[in-house]
């Protein structure tokens, strides 16, 4: 069974859409941020060639149904402010993981929470029963976003905390 969220997800605050070739500069800036680099696994320094390959890989993974990458944009302007994606899909468990990142000059405005809520609601509406957010210890900003988006702590260890949100029709 293939579960696939809508290709474009709109909220009052953000629009999530597939990455495109015109986003390479914005993607490079997002993944080059030194603070973000502490919590994400991308090569540093991150350059345009890597961003170009990411855009290609994102399209392939969407077509294959293995991951769903979105550029987080501002409604009406199509200005890329971040990245959000569903990955590590477990169709047998109808579960997925979510990751999110907002560029430094746009943080603190609720955009990450809006992106996480929008993507999670789309994932649950598409048929996923659980959405997980595994957050590295010390990433207080991402933990605050997960809490604001209605996620709850499932487990924690010395390296990370796993937050989750379940569909209303899923057993608790």
């Amino acid at each position: 069974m293939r579960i696939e969220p809508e290709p474009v997800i709109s909220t009052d605050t953000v629009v999530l859409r597939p990455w495109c070739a015109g986003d390479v500069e914005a993607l490079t800036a997002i993944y080059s941020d030194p603070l973000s680099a502490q919590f994400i696994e991308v090569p540093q320094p991150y350059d345009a060639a890597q961003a170009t390959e990411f855009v290609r890989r994102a399209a392939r993974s969407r077509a294959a149904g293995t991951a769903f990458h979105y550029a987080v944009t501002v409604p009406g302007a199509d200005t890329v402010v971040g990245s959000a994606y569903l990955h590590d899909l477990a169709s047998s468990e109808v579960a997925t993981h979510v990751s999110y990142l907002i560029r430094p000059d746009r943080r603190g405005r609720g955009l990450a929470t809006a992106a996480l809520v929008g993507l999670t609601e789309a994932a649950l509406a598409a048929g996923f029963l659980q959405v997980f957010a595994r957050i590295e210890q010390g990433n207080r900003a991402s933990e605050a976003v997960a809490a604001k988006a209605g996620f709850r702590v499932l487990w924690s260890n010395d390296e990370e905390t796993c937050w989750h949100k379940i569909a209303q029709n899923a057993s608790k």
Side-chain angles (χ1 to χ4, degrees), residues 3-113:
I3 300 173
E4 183 172 339
E6 294 296 321
V8 177
I9 301 164
S10 297
T11 74
D12 291 341
T13 312
V14 295
V15 175
L16 288 79
R17 60 153 175 81
W19 288 98
C20 63
D23 297 329
V24 167
E25 185 178 331
L27 184 61
T28 302
I30 290 166
Y31 285 149
S32 294
D33 169 49
L35 177 61
S36 298
Q38 296 175 36
F39 302 110
I40 58 176
E41 293 181 23
V42 295
Q44 294 298 319
Y46 194 81
D47 61 28
Q50 292 161 322
T52 300
E53 179 52 32
F54 173 87
V55 170
R56 289 184 189 129
R57 200 171 51 250
R60 288 191 305 266
S61 64
R62 173 173 282 284
T66 58
F68 302 97
H69 295 270
Y70 293 89
V72 179
T73 67
V74 176
D78 198 38
T79 301
V80 177
V81 297
S83 174
Y85 60 101
L86 299 172
H87 55 98
D88 297 332
L89 312 178
S91 59
S92 62
E93 298 175 27
V94 207
T96 186
H97 288 79
V98 64
S99 295
Y100 46 92
L101 176 64
I102 300 297
R103 60 182 222 211
D105 65 331
R106 295 298 184 105
R107 292 182 185 144
R109 301 177 188 185
L111 299 173
T113 303

Side-chain angles (χ1 to χ4, degrees), residues 98-140:
V98 64
S99 295
Y100 46 92
L101 176 64
I102 300 297
R103 60 182 222 211
D105 65 331
R106 295 298 184 105
R107 292 182 185 144
R109 301 177 188 185
L111 299 173
T113 303
L116 180 56
V117 167
L119 186 52
T120 300
E121 287 177 358
L124 296 174
F128 287 106
L129 298 179
Q130 292 192 78
V131 178
F132 299 99
R134 294 174 73 165
I135 301 172
E136 194 172 314
Q137 292 296 346
N139 192 343
R140 303 280 181 249

